[in-house]
Amino acid sequence: MNFESAKSQLTKVLVTEEQIKTRVAELATEIDAKYAGKDVLLVGVLKGAIMFMADLSRALSISTSMDWMALSSYGSGTVSSGVIRILKDLDAEIHGKHVIIVEDIIDSGLTLSWLQTTLNARGAASVEVVAFLRKPAAAKVEVPVWLVGYDIPNEFVVGYGLDYNEKYRSLNCVAVLDPKVYS
Ligand code: PRP
């Protein structure tokens, strides 16, 4: 799905398809340099991270494996409690592995904070975070993040894996959803 086909439901583009390509390549260069000669496990958080994972993993030159987790935050409505439930755990042990958490977006930071603690407790050799988007104004907890694609304003964004009611994930850019769609 491109901007033209969804533009009646979007107010503006924050990150274009071209900017996504460029930034993913830059992030991959940094990851290749830091992990040269190492095996890396990329851990994607479903479902939002699927597009970023697909692009980033293919842009890397180092040897990688891929695994996935699906998480759900307990809480009512839009208020996240920070208590996370595992809907799908990793398929394999991570003890002794160099793990990179691949996230589409850091909003409150609660998901990531919990995930970092959990993967470290499982005995990973290292755990770093690469997130394509971050909303600094929405942060509720400070999370150490190694690489970020773009810091964005605290608006309802969709595309590049991000959804509203499971729609717009396949939008090829990151855009602000028109409030009329959800109000
Ligand atoms: C989103 C996103 C992160 C999390 C970030 O997932 O993919 O995992 O929220 O929010 P936080 O920083 O406030 O914890 P979501 O729960 O919307 O699921 P989805 O990826 O399947 O859409």
Side-chain angles (χ1 to χ4, degrees):
M1 180 192 266
N2 60 26
F3 178 75
E4 275 306 309
S5 53
K7 73 177 175 190
S8 65
Q9 300 130 64
L10 306 171
T11 56
K12 66 178 169 217
V13 174
L14 290 183
V15 189
T16 67
E17 187 179 20
E18 211 50 47
Q19 287 172 317
I20 291 172
K21 273 189 195 150
T22 305
R23 192 68 187 119
V24 167
E26 289 170 356
L27 295 172
T29 301
E30 296 216 37
I31 296 168
D32 278 339
K34 178 170 170 137
Y35 290 91
K38 292 191 175 128
D39 275 327
V40 170
L41 177 67
L42 303 174
V43 170
V45 184
L46 295 168
K47 302 171 190 168
I50 51 170
M51 304 298 175
F52 182 41
M53 175 71 105
D55 287 346
L56 184 69
S57 60
R58 287 178 296 173
L60 290 169
S61 301
I62 53 165
S63 163
T64 60
S65 310
M66 216 184 272
D67 206 344
W68 298 90
M69 282 184 102
L71 306 172
S72 169
S73 165
Y74 282 110
S76 55
T78 55
V79 183
S80 177
S81 62
V83 181
I84 307 291
R85 186 163 53 118
I86 299 176
L87 302 178
K88 183 224 167 286
D89 208 337
L90 298 172
D91 289 336
E93 295 284 315
I94 59 163
H95 193 271
K97 293 186 179 168
H98 293 289
V99 173
I100 298 178
I101 299 171
V102 178
E103 260 288 25
D104 52 326
I105 189 164
I106 304 169
D107 206 315
S108 67
L110 292 168
T111 305
L112 201 50
S113 174
W114 177 90
L115 188 56
Q116 278 179 322
T117 305
T118 301
L119 299 188
N120 274 312
R122 291 182 185 185
S126 64
V127 178
E128 292 283 11
V129 177
V130 178
F132 190 68
L133 301 170
R134 178 174 60 185
K135 289 181 177 173
K140 286 189 186 153
V141 284
E142 282 302 313
V143 198
V145 179
W146 176 38
L147 296 174
V148 174
Y150 287 94
D151 278 325
I152 58 169
N154 195 7
E155 296 183 275
F156 198 126
V157 293
V158 294
Y160 201 51
L162 295 162
D163 74 310
Y164 170 65
N165 275 351
E166 296 301 326
K167 289 186 178 163
Y168 308 103
R169 289 195 199 275
S170 62
L171 182 65
N172 63 1
C173 58
V174 178
V176 177
L177 189 62
D178 192 323
K180 76 179 182 213
V181 177
Y182 54 86
S183 58

